[in-house]
Amino acid sequence: GRDVAVLVNAQRVLPPRQFTEATSQHISDAVAVNVLGSMHMVHFVLPLMLERKSGSIINVSDVSSFGDKKNAIFGATMAGLNGLTKLLAVDYTGLGISTNTVTACQYDDAFLCAPGQLSADAEDVADACAYLVAHPKLSGQNLSFAGGKPVL
């Protein structure tokens, strides 16, 4: 049988930043990968985690989900991912499944990090994920490298 203890959803598609420059296909691709891809992965592993009565789901989001100039499409998909995290936590925390978000400034594109934001590199994100896995009583949380931006 299959045994899954941890799922980290970190995939993303970056559509054009300017909403009017995006095509319908850009929008569809961003939603399909950034939101639906994560939902499908959770849908696949959640029954396995429920069977073992434990598991950790971590969605890697982006500070654009808190509101970012000229980034409506990507920000909206990341906000959707944050919402998915919160709602899964409501439904499954009591069944042994922790669900959390790690939110970072887009670490591979300094342009997306506003002055004063603490950008996170891949190792920072991995360390944050490891911390959440090691603390299963934390659920519904957003561990954020947002450089002071309010977490919604």
Side-chain angles (χ1 to χ4, degrees):
R2 292 175 272 181
D3 187 27
V4 178
V6 177
L7 169 66
V8 177
N9 282 312
Q11 73 283 358
R12 60 184 62 200
V13 167
L14 291 167
R17 290 181 58 83
Q18 190 70 30
F19 195 86
T20 56
E21 293 174 7
T23 64
S24 293
Q25 190 62 53
H26 287 127
I27 295 167
S28 294
D29 289 348
V31 171
V33 172
N34 301 348
V35 181
L36 295 177
S38 296
M39 286 182 163
H40 288 300
M41 290 302 299
V42 171
H43 190 255
F44 180 76
V45 303
L46 188 57
L48 302 172
M49 291 178 172
L50 289 169
E51 187 175 304
R52 71 190 317 265
K53 296 182 175 48
S54 69
S56 179
I57 298 168
I58 302 168
N59 293 314
V60 179
S61 186
D62 186 272
V63 296
S64 64
S65 64
F66 310 144
D68 193 17
K69 189 175 182 181
K70 296 184 181 174
N71 212 7
I73 299 165
F74 183 66
T77 64
M78 293 293 104
L81 196 57
N82 295 351
L84 174 64
T85 299
K86 291 282 188 186
L87 294 167
L88 287 170
V90 167
D91 289 342
Y92 295 103
T93 297
L95 300 174
I97 314 301
S98 65
T99 308
N100 294 290
T101 303
V102 173
T103 299
C105 185
Q106 181 68 34
Y107 52 82
D108 60 353
D109 185 350
F111 176 74
L112 295 179
C113 298
Q117 283 183 316
L118 301 174
S119 61
D121 62 21
E123 188 174 333
D124 293 325
V125 173
D127 288 346
C129 290
Y131 178 83
L132 291 168
V133 170
H135 295 84
K137 292 182 181 177
L138 290 174
S139 192
Q141 303 304 304
N142 190 335
L143 200 64
S144 179
F145 296 93
K149 244 184 181 180
V151 178
L152 303 177

